[in-house]
Structure formats: structure tokens, C-alpha cells
Amino acid sequence: MEILRVENLRKIFDREVILDDVSLEINKGEVIALIGPSGSGKSTLLRCLTLLEKINWGKIIVAGDTMVDSATGKPCYAPEQTLRIIRLKLGMVFQNFNLFPHFSVLQNITEAQVHVAGIPYETAKANALQLLKKVGLEDKVDAYPYQLSGGQSQRVAIARALAMKPEVLFFDEPTSALDPELTGEVLKVIRDLAAEHMTMMVVTHEMAFARDVADRVIFMDNGRIVESGTPEKIFGNPANERTKAFLQRFSDTYG
Amino acid sequence: MEWTGLVKLLSLLSRGALTSAQLFFYTLIFSLPLGLAVALGRMSPKPWIRGPFKLYILVMRGTPLLLQIIFVYFAPSFMLPEGYRINLDRFVAAVIAFSLNYAAYFAEIYRGGIESIPRGQYEAAAVLGFTKSQTFMRIILPQVIKRILPPVSNEVITLVKDTALVQVLGISELFRVAKNESSRVFSTTPIFIAGLFYLMMNWLVTKVFHLSEQKLSYYQ
């Protein structure tokens, strides 16, 4: 079942084309790894899909609701009420965690549940505790973000996003700010989510992780989707020269 | 100076200090929220909103507070059209002038604080579905308050001492009372004692800010 559909998306920044004619779909339960060189537009794509950036052309549909359509000749976003509903279906985990420093770990996870989703506090708290257990941080309930390591912060950020029960969870380079040791604990959480068939799209430079966890790998370069397919196909037998060159450089660097 | 004279002087100065303290508190009550509104106007992306607020801040910070006090007191009684002219109460005029002036300074402090909050905080809040006003009230403002406490304490301490300026309107605040006593008894002692009063008030202000900072030190 299709949860998100993107058609002919174009994004321009200062007259520079960042995303060009990007089309893709995400199906329920699918894990997609979005790979490609820096500046290829991966993060911008995620930011467009989560409404952090407005697109210049194209169409995005989330779980049947049209977020934006360009049928009238220019991108036309849905009214705010619809966008609010759409936002609740999308979750995002950032490279720099972006936890709220003035809230405890618990409040980071309950705040949006209570004040956005309208969930009673006790229920929200129970959800939070359950999610913290899932990411292995039940002992950090009352800690503040500054007391956490990067890996712990990112796991709290994942719990915070999951608490809103999104249909799709986006990860924007979730381990790029972490050292290799901490990267492992975050990737493990994402792996566990994949095993539960959480629908996810992960921008990553962790090629081994992409190969092992993703159902589908999308390779982007220069604002375009160059190639897309199963990890076996992309990593084992890439069709495109650009993909080959990128992956070759990666295996040269990281063995 | 005999004891009864000293007691009399202290009670006079206390009454003056009370007037100063009233002006101080009224100014804070009005200028702190007004400053936030000015800061938000100053940060508007629309130039026709931002412009007037920039001008306001420029004028308020760019001219002497003493002049502003005189202007607010006298202007309504001669600049308004005939029939609408009013005579403001001196104390009310002082509170208005101080509030308008301090709002401009507080606005720039707020702006500095708001602009220092990383964009990621807004983005995380947006993705979680918080509305703009929820994001500001629940996520941004609490962090701003912690960051601006030190510069705000600077302004508040200055405010304690600035209250002496309203003697220009003949209001019997602490400094004017002390000055009058000094002339009467032909001694600088009352003025020096008034200095101790200001010092004590600011010691209190410093204490309050120190406690507030401690209260907000539970996170970084």
C-alpha cells in the first residue's frame, strides 16, 4: 500500500536547482535508504517531504491527502488544517537531534503528544516510558538532554518522533554527528524498527547499514534520482556509471 | 547629627525610596511585555511592520531619557488639538516615559535572545506539529528567558538608578528628597545615605536575578 507519493518535484534555491524532477513512492512497511554524495539534494528532499521547505514544482500525496499539487501551473499547498493532519503522519529525526534542552527526556516525548495530539498526560507518559524502554533508555526518564551522550540523545529523538505514531519516519543522516561507537546503538534502534515494519526513509552515509536494512536503495546525484532498486542490485550490480563511481569511492575509503 | 534627626532623615528617604520603587515596579510591569511586542515587530519579515519598530527603537535609545520624560509630561498639554489637551499626572507621565524607553532596550535584548535559539528547535517543533504560537510559548520563549537574564539584570539595575531622573518633574523620589535635605541641613550626608539606599535596592535586584538564574540552571 502506498503511503507517500512524490511526482516531478523541483526545488530551487537562489536560482539554483537543488531537486529536479524527483518522483518516488513509499509503500507501507518499506525501509528506503537514500544515498548519494553531499549536496546531491537528499536532505532537501526530506525537508520538502516534511514541510520544512516549500517546493517549486511537483505533487506530494501523503496517505491519500494531497499536500501540494502543481496542476494549476504553480505549486499550491493544501489548507493549513489539511497540512496539520499530514504533519501528524510524518515524523523526522534530525542529524543534530534537536531535543528541547529545557525539557526532561520524559517531557521531550510527552509534550507534543499532549499539546498537539491531545492525548491525556497519563497515557502520553505511559507511551513515553514504553518507547524509552524500547530504545534502551528507561533509566534516563528524568535526565536533561545536556546529560546525554550523542547516541542517547538521538535515541530519545527517535522515541519523541515515534510517540506521535507517524505513518512514515524520516531520518536525516541520523548518525553523522556521532562517533562510530555511538553510531552502532542508534543504527540498532533503526534496525529494530525495520524488523517491526515501520515505514522509514533514511538518508545515510552508512553503506553497510543501507545494504543490510533497506528494502530499497535510492541513489541521488545532482538533485536527481539516478538509480533505485534493491540493495543487492544497487550495491552488487549498479547499472549507472555515476552510482558505480560513488560506491567504488566508498569501498575504497571504508574497505 | 543627633539620633532623632537621623531617624527623621531615614524615614524621609524611605518615603522617597518608596516612590522610586513604585516607579520601578510599574515600569517593569509595562515595559517587559511591551518590549516583547516591540521585539516581535522589529523581527517581522514585512518591512512596513519592521520599519516603524526600528525607528521607535532608534528614537527611544537615541535620545536622552530625561528629554523623553519632559516630552511625555508636557506634550499632551500643548501638542494635542485644542479641546483634547490633557494634563497628565506627573507620576503617570513618568511611568509612561520609562515604560516606552525601557521597552526599546528590552526589545533588543529579547531579539538577541530569540535570534540565538538554533533553527533546529523551530524545525523539531514544526515537524512534531506544534503551531507557531505553541512553538514560541512552549519551546522558544522559556529558552530565551534563561539566555537573556544577565543582560536584563543589567537593564533592571540601571532602571533603579534612572528613577532619579523623574525629579525633573518635581516628583519626590529618593534622590530629590535627599538633595533637598542636603541643602536644608547644609551637608552631603543625606545624599550619601541615599546612595546606600540605591545600593541596597540593587543588592536586592542582584539577589533576585541570581536566584532566578539558579532556578533555571537545571538545564544547559
Side-chain angles (χ1 to χ4, degrees), chain A residues 133-154:
Chain A
K133 201 167 170 192
K134 186 174 186 162
V135 299
L137 290 173
E138 59 266 60
D139 56 329
K140 297 290 181 189
V141 180
D142 297 318
Y144 280 84
Y146 79 94
Q147 297 165 316
L148 305 177
S149 71
Q152 292 170 335
S153 297
Q154 195 59 297

Side-chain angles (χ1 to χ4, degrees), chain A residues 24 26 32 34 46 49 169-171 199-203 218:
Chain A
L24 60 89
I26 303 176
I32 297 176
L34 195 52
L46 247 56
L49 299 184
L169 187 49
F170 296 95
F171 292 81
T199 312
M200 295 185 284
M201 187 176 215
V202 187
V203 170
I218 295 176

Side-chain angles (χ1 to χ4, degrees), chain B residues 60 63-70 97-98 101-102 159 162 165:
Chain B
M60 286 299 159
T63 58
L65 176 54
L66 190 60
L67 187 154
Q68 292 165 20
I69 295 166
I70 294 168
F98 267 74
N101 179 275
Y102 272 79
L159 172 59
D162 273 356
L165 292 173

